[in-house]
Amino acid sequence: MCGIVGAIAQRNIVPILIEGLSRLEYRGYDSAGIAVLNQQIERVRAVGRVAELERKAQGLSSFIGIGHTRWATHGGVTEQNAHPHVSPTQDNPQIAVVHNGIIENHDEQRDRLTALGYAFHSQTDTEVIAHLVHYYYQQTRDLLQAVKLTISELTGAYAISVIALENPTQMVVARLGCPLLIGLGDGENFVASDVSAVLSATRRVIYLEDGDVASLTSAGVVIYDKTLQVVERKEHLSDVSLASLELGPYNHFMQKEIHEQPRAISDTIEALIDDGAFRTELFGVEAADIFSQIDSVLILAAGTSYYAGLTAKYWLESIARIPTSVEIASEYRYRESVPNPKQLIVTISQSGETLDTMEALKHAQKLGHTHSLAICNVQESAIPRASSLVFYTRAGAEIGVASTKAFTTQLIALFVLAVTLAKERGLLSPAQELAYLSDLRQVTGSVQIALNLEPQIREWAKQFGDKEHALFLGRGVHFPIAMEGALKLKEISYIHAEAYPAGELKHGPLALVDSNMPVVVIAPNDVLLEKVKSNMQEVKARGGQLFVFADADSHFNASEGVHVIRTPRHVGVLSPILHVIPVQLLAYHAALLKGTDVDKPRNLAKSVTVE
Ligand code: F6R
């Protein structure tokens, strides 16, 4: 969703802003803009791609400026609504602001500012921030004070960056509920909502905390906490690689990220394999203490991360024998649930900033849950920072909107959690621990072998390209994989797809089956295989076309109306990790045939930071 970048330096920062904005494109946006300071505030905005903004900004140059990619919430996709917003007037801008988040009391502020004589030129909530800063700047002649007074009047969530015509050597930034970081350079400083936007200039970053306000010059940064006291925040060296932000030889980030899964998995399990044991400390220094107190697990997540949670329920209950519930974050936060302080709240989030998941965690904490674990792919993001324990997956930056390598590494983390809890609870024999370690060691190779099935899957995809609907079936631990397959197909190819536990077919969805309805079945050799085979007969008898992903031990043969792709290995308990690979590839190739924008599917954003 929306992205911020800003720079203050002793060189022309316009190329830095443009490059930063193009690094933020993956988050999803519909318009972009920059504002820079010279003798006046110069602003350029464009609907559509950053490339269009770059074209319009040719010839612009400055030592200080702010930029933004906007994903419309308040007001349509128009140039007027694109950021930066300015005050007091469009013709004579003295203040420019970019903003991520939502100002909840913007109607009230709009009325007040209108009464004070300010005119509004957009439908956004952000314009009230520009006018408020101008209003207070008039009174204080101090940009930092003006921003502090402004945010004291805002309710909602924000990350903002502000420049003022009278202060060509200062930028003021603030955050509450939306991520914002400062990039530290040599004689230059930067601000961004996402580290990728500043990486080409610096790796040294400070993550601002909620309530922080900071004043940046090219020479230094001063940060104030929510009590407005000067505060020191830790400097980090980002390990996000520039290569992970480039396409390399691939056509799409989704394709690249599908193929990166063996590497992502082996990076995620590296510490575990080095130790040769499942160590509780992998989840944090307090993990042993917390794990000894809990009696159940509640997983909260959204979308693909929720399906990782559904898969984990099977592992947590069968391996660690710990009762586990999994809930969609946006539902949990508004439900009257019965809190259990002995329950471990596990949030799963690739980005670590999904608003629904963050708010669900806060809701659980308000209800008295004190034990929380975040499984997350982005260092220092909001959700891990609000949790007592954290396990970082090491998938590397995920740019494609459709999550792939984040999902498989989440599954790895959750499997490690299940085995570690089993060990803590005295349920794991040394022989079993070694067996699970060996399973984990082998999964990387098995995933690579599954990736080699791509040519066959590409052929299958041809039979989906002209379809409007598809059904995905699975049973047990593979039902969430069927759900993930259906989600992948619908979000990037726009083919309507639904997943059912195969045993449910006869209770309704079988009515949909005919020769125009491809039915994808996840059918590895497990205790439910014979049941799945009978469910498949129900489809076959009605003329349905079956596309079966089996494994080495499933003993399926292709026949009229039954297409079979077999992964050459059976990987036992880790089988969901193997079987998600072919459904990712199927969705990718079906989307290519449909000609959709694979990495940026319509209406979707990478990080969903609004409700
Ligand atoms: C689907 C997808 C989304 C995300 C969901 C949660 O491919 O990527 O469903 O899984 O928006 O995002 P995170 O994991 O960042 O909390």
Side-chain angles (χ1 to χ4, degrees), residues 302-305 348-351 354 401-403 410 487-488 491 608:
T304 287
S305 298
I348 310 171
S349 176
Q350 186 285 129
S351 60
T354 299
V401 162
S403 188
Q410 285 167 350
L487 177 63
K488 286 289 93 94
E491 72 179 321
V608 186

Side-chain angles (χ1 to χ4, degrees), residues 329-550:
S330 56
E331 286 295 308
Y332 169 76
R333 60 181 288 212
Y334 291 115
R335 188 170 71 78
E336 280 189 39
S337 53
V338 181
N340 167 10
K342 288 190 165 181
Q343 197 163 45
L344 176 68
I345 302 290
V346 177
T347 53
I348 310 171
S349 176
Q350 186 285 129
S351 60
E353 58 179 90
T354 299
L355 188 103
D356 288 327
T357 308
M358 182 71 215
E359 291 302 320
L361 172 62
K362 285 191 195 157
H363 178 71
Q365 289 167 337
K366 269 197 210 116
L367 292 178
H369 286 277
T370 50
H371 306 317
S372 55
L373 162 67
I375 292 180
C376 183
N377 194 41
V378 179
Q379 299 272 335
E380 295 298 321
S381 51
I383 295 173
R385 286 152 64 103
S387 307
S388 13
L389 305 175
V390 56
F391 185 106
Y392 283 114
T393 49
R394 294 179 59 198
E398 192 178 66
I399 307 290
V401 162
S403 188
T404 51
K405 60 178 181 173
F407 180 71
T408 40
T409 54
Q410 285 167 350
L411 290 182
I412 292 283
L414 290 158
F415 177 75
V416 173
L417 176 66
V419 179
T420 308
L421 282 175
K423 193 171 172 182
E424 280 289 321
R425 294 159 73 84
L427 297 173
L428 193 68
S429 68
Q432 189 59 70
E433 179 169 5
L434 284 180
Y436 284 141
L437 267 174
S438 146
D439 288 345
L440 276 175
R441 267 195 206 99
Q442 282 172 30
V443 80
T444 312
S446 306
V447 166
Q448 186 57 59
I449 291 171
L451 287 168
N452 296 341
L453 298 170
E454 187 164 8
Q456 287 163 262
I457 296 169
R458 192 186 298 126
E459 280 304 304
W460 273 19
K462 290 181 184 157
Q463 303 192 53
F464 286 72
D466 61 344
K467 299 290 186 304
E468 286 181 13
H469 308 276
L471 263 184
F472 282 69
L473 303 178
R475 289 196 80 148
V477 71
H478 296 98
F479 171 49
I481 300 304
M483 295 169 97
E484 173 61 1
L487 177 63
K488 286 289 93 94
L489 188 69
K490 73 183 118 185
E491 72 179 321
I492 60 165
S493 74
Y494 316 150
I495 297 171
H496 167 232
E498 280 192 71
Y500 275 92
E504 273 291 290
L505 260 190
K506 56 190 174 297
H507 298 293
L510 198 54
L512 293 171
V513 171
D514 62 17
S515 56
N516 280 322
M517 172 74 87
V519 181
V520 179
V521 191
I522 317 292
N525 182 21
D526 63 11
V527 287
L528 289 166
L529 180 62
E530 290 312 314
K531 306 275 176 208
V532 174
K533 283 182 175 169
S534 0
N535 302 140
M536 284 167 49
Q537 289 309 322
E538 295 162 4
V539 173
K540 200 175 165 192
R542 274 127 196 120
Q545 292 286 312
L546 285 155
F547 294 85
V548 186
F549 289 115

